[in-house]
Amino acid sequence: MSPARLRVSLLLLVTLATLYHLVVGNLFWQAVGIGALLLYLATLVGQLTRMAKGLLLVAGVLTLVALWRSPNPAQLLFEASGRFAFFATFVVALSMLRLPAYRSRLVRRCGQSMLHQPPSRRYPILSLGSALFGIILNIGVLNLFAAMIEKSNTLGAAQGRAWVREARQRRMMLALLRGFSLAPLISPMGIGVAVVLSSLPQVTWLELAPYILGAAMLIFLAGWAVDYLTGPHPPANKAQATSPSLRPLAQFSVLLVGIVALVFSIAWLLDLRLPIAALLGAPTGAFLWLAWQRRRLGYGGLPAAMTVVHRQLPWLLSPSANEIVVLGAAGYLGHLCVGLVDTQQLAPLLTVLNQWAAFNAVLAMLMVVGLAQIGVNPIVTVTLLVGLLPQLAIEGLTPPLIGASLMVGWALALMSSPMTASMLILSRFTGVPATRIGYRWNGRFLVTSIPLLAGWFVWSPF
């Protein structure tokens, strides 16, 4: 068995054992999943980025602290390892949707339709489209659409005007980045929802939805307004008299609604929390989509879909190793920190924070954004804060408000920090430094949107 196939086999064992535990509640299978996870991590020696290695090192140090300070270290470490396995399972489950998407002609037609819209409609359509595609493709949407943008944005398309080509590149890349960053807010299957709801079992997605969807609308409108006001607005290319049809995008939206409906149906029928239902619904939806693409091969396309999944899993999951480690280690660290921190020692801090009431949500949002600028991944910050803040019981700071503010901070961090993977991908395609994209290109948008979002959280009617 090849190393790649061995890693995938261990990862599938982690996924299946964790799912069985989450649905049925069997601790034996949780232990099996944790054991398979440790073996999987052992096979990644020499395969991880510096950030992933650093998080594993910090996790190891905090494990020793837990063994020293915790009154019940075995239970604490077992539960924290279960969190690691949960997030690894989440990455695997959501990654399955990429398999049919990368093979879909509908996806390619959607991309071409969005990119060839007239300038007046290009920003909203590209931003909304990248948000929708980001729900399924995750960060893969940046690679896919950025490549399309660079291929279509030629000097010929700009009628030989280099400044027009550069302006189009900036505006389309920012629409792509901002739209992608909205995906964790608008998607019930997003990683932000999974982190928040798994840490706040008393909160439901319907309680989060008014805050996060309202914030997403503010971010979208602020981005559109800044794009329009900062321009420029060169004369349109007369050779392109008609706009491409948006029918492919409408068809894709119907498909996406179907997958989300499947997730909600599983949550309702099996009486499961939404993040657990997403772990079941995403692979099921992906498999049905694959079968539909191969329905002409007989038996409803099911055997052909099974063959594709078996052959392509190493290709699909091997690049996810760093994502699994970063997200899983963040969940592990967050659970350990919550278990080790004595909230009674934070009483002096609580006295100060109680005076600020709901404004603490704004501070939490800004902390996620600020720490991202110095390289602290938003996954780590959100996981830690979503575990600690509810324990402080700050007056006026409800759990849904805490979760929503942290998710919005995560989205803003993706749009601004030059050290995030999203910014590095755009820098690679454009040849523009990530700091210039995050601070120069996106500076006016951030100055506009952050006060609006602060006002939304302080004076929200919900």
Side-chain angles (χ1 to χ4, degrees):
M1 182 181 292
S2 66
R5 181 65 69 176
L6 174 62
R7 293 190 195 100
V8 169
S9 299
L10 290 170
L11 206 49
L12 287 179
L13 180 56
V14 173
T15 300
L16 295 175
T18 302
L19 279 176
Y20 190 86
H21 160 69
L22 292 172
V23 175
V24 179
N26 191 312
L27 290 179
F28 169 77
W29 285 104
Q30 184 180 17
V32 171
I34 292 172
L37 176 65
L38 292 173
L39 292 175
Y40 170 74
L41 294 176
T43 66
L44 297 179
V45 177
Q47 306 288 322
L48 300 176
T49 62
R50 184 177 300 176
M51 176 178 291
K53 291 177 181 177
L55 280 173
L56 284 180
L57 178 61
V58 174
V61 171
L62 206 59
T63 298
L64 297 177
V65 174
L67 290 172
W68 173 41
R69 297 294 302 273
S70 175
N72 192 355
Q75 181 178 353
L76 178 61
L77 294 176
F78 185 77
E79 292 173 351
S81 300
R83 292 276 290 173
F84 200 131
F86 169 81
F87 287 122
T89 301
F90 189 88
V91 172
V92 172
L94 270 292
S95 295
M96 294 295 292
L97 286 169
R98 301 179 195 176
L99 196 54
Y102 282 138
R103 296 168 167 268
S104 173
R105 285 180 294 180
L106 175 61
V107 170
R108 291 192 292 271
R109 294 205 313 270
C110 285
Q112 294 299 328
S113 174
M114 289 187 291
L115 292 178
H116 291 95
Q117 294 296 317
S120 60
R121 297 166 55 185
R122 188 180 296 138
Y123 181 91
I125 291 174
L126 184 56
S127 183
L128 290 174
S130 59
L132 293 177
F133 278 88
I135 294 173
I136 285 183
L137 296 178
N138 198 353
I139 206 164
V141 72
L142 294 179
N143 285 298
L144 178 65
F145 282 7
M148 289 183 177
I149 289 172
E150 289 302 287
K151 186 176 180 180
S152 64
N153 187 33
T154 62
L155 274 177
Q159 299 176 320
R161 296 170 292 180
W163 69 273
V164 172
R165 180 177 181 272
E166 293 173 0
R168 285 178 177 173
Q169 180 194 58
R170 173 180 58 83
R171 296 176 71 179
M172 286 196 289
M173 288 296 184
L174 286 178
L176 173 60
L177 175 65
R178 294 169 190 164
F180 163 74
S181 301
L182 288 180
L185 289 181
I186 66 173
S187 171
M189 304 183 300
I191 185 59
V193 171
V195 170
V196 169
L197 293 187
S198 62
S199 300
L200 300 174
Q202 72 274 34
V203 177
T204 65
W205 184 80
L206 290 178
E207 292 175 306
L208 281 178
Y211 294 107
I212 58 178
L213 295 183
M217 181 60 69
L218 284 176
I219 291 172
F220 170 73
L221 293 176
W224 190 1
V226 170
D227 174 79
Y228 179 80
L229 293 175
T230 57
H233 304 285
N237 187 351
K238 296 180 180 180
Q240 187 179 339
T242 59
S243 303
S245 171
L246 291 176
R247 185 176 179 182
L249 190 59
Q251 293 173 335
F252 180 81
S253 299
V254 172
L255 171 67
L256 187 59
V257 168
I259 294 174
V260 173
L262 175 63
V263 171
F264 276 100
S265 299
I266 291 174
W268 178 67
L269 291 172
L270 300 181
D271 193 23
L272 298 173
R273 286 183 56 76
L274 193 61
I276 300 175
L279 299 181
L280 297 172
T284 303
F287 187 77
L288 293 176
W289 188 3
L290 269 176
W292 175 258
Q293 291 175 343
R294 286 152 183 79
R295 61 192 182 279
R296 296 178 182 176
L297 298 178
Y299 299 100
L302 296 176
M306 187 71 75
T307 301
V308 170
V309 170
H310 175 72
R311 290 178 178 175
Q312 297 297 323
L313 273 180
W315 165 82
L316 180 71
L317 297 180
S318 294
S320 300
N322 286 290
E323 186 180 358
I324 289 170
V325 171
V326 169
L327 184 57
Y332 180 87
L333 288 170
H335 192 85
L336 286 186
C337 286
V338 172
L340 292 173
V341 170
D342 184 2
T343 54
Q344 294 181 352
Q345 297 179 355
L346 301 178
L349 177 62
L350 181 60
T351 303
V352 176
L353 296 180
N354 269 332
Q355 300 174 5
W356 295 342
F359 190 75
N360 286 288
V362 179
L363 296 179
M365 178 187 76
L366 294 177
M367 184 176 294
V368 176
V369 178
L371 290 177
Q373 310 308 312
I374 58 174
V376 180
N377 195 294
I379 294 173
V380 178
T381 314
V382 171
T383 305
L384 292 175
L385 291 180
V386 79
L388 290 174
L389 286 177
Q391 294 196 31
L392 297 179
I394 299 171
E395 295 181 10
L397 190 63
T398 63
L401 187 57
I402 293 171
S405 65
L406 293 173
M407 290 174 64
V408 171
W410 193 336
L412 292 176
L414 293 178
M415 301 179 202
S416 60
S417 172
M419 300 185 185
T420 57
S422 54
M423 202 70 74
L424 295 176
I425 288 174
L426 293 192
S427 177
R428 172 164 53 86
F429 275 101
T430 61
V432 177
T435 50
R436 182 176 178 84
I437 297 174
Y439 302 144
R440 292 287 298 277
W441 284 12
N442 229 7
R444 290 171 181 163
F445 162 76
L446 294 171
V447 169
T448 302
S449 60
I450 288 178
L452 288 175
L453 293 168
W456 171 251
F457 286 124
V458 173
W459 294 295
S460 175
F462 304 109

